[in-house]
Amino acid sequence: MSLKDSLLNKLETQTEYWSKQIDSLRAQADEKMAKAKDEQAEAQIQEDFAKRIQQLEDNVESARQKMGELRESGEDRLSDLKKRIEEWLPSNTN
């Protein structure tokens, strides 16, 4: 597997993981909303989960941008992109 393919694979794997986390958080939020006792509790749940979901959605978008940059890059830029991607990704995927 080439360096470019390896980096794309890491980004795709991480993006899939984040997407699953988003789905899980949405399900958790729905469950908690169903159990909320009042509008204030619902608002707090929405706020808490919205922040976490937004952060993950931002990560997914950044990963997609990096994948696009990586696909368009030549061999001369791969080592720089590799360093930037590996610094950006959570350590458990490196």
Side-chain angles (χ1 to χ4, degrees):
M1 179 181 290
S2 72
L3 176 58
K4 185 183 278 193
D5 290 339
S6 175
L7 292 171
L8 284 169
N9 187 41
K10 281 184 181 185
L11 287 169
E12 288 169 357
T13 300
Q14 187 62 47
T15 299
E16 289 171 11
Y17 175 75
W18 283 327
S19 294
K20 288 177 184 176
Q21 282 187 309
I22 290 168
D23 292 342
S24 175
L25 285 172
R26 286 189 173 134
Q28 289 175 30
D30 289 345
E31 183 180 322
K32 288 185 182 248
M33 292 286 286
K35 295 178 182 177
K37 301 291 184 197
D38 57 39
E39 288 182 23
Q40 184 177 0
E42 288 180 9
Q44 185 63 47
I45 291 166
Q46 286 178 333
E47 182 180 331
D48 292 345
F49 280 89
K51 289 177 186 176
R52 293 163 58 191
I53 290 169
Q54 185 61 53
Q55 182 180 16
L56 290 170
E57 287 174 340
D58 291 346
N59 287 346
V60 168
E61 181 58 31
S62 292
R64 288 183 178 141
Q65 289 173 354
K66 288 176 182 7
M67 283 189 279
E69 186 178 353
L70 188 57
R71 285 184 182 106
E72 294 173 8
S73 71
E75 293 293 320
D76 58 323
R77 294 198 51 226
L78 282 183
S79 63
D80 177 55
L81 286 171
K82 178 182 187 280
K83 181 180 176 190
R84 288 182 26 224
I85 289 168
E86 289 185 346
E87 287 174 353
W88 177 75
L89 282 173
S91 61
N92 63 341
T93 63
N94 290 336

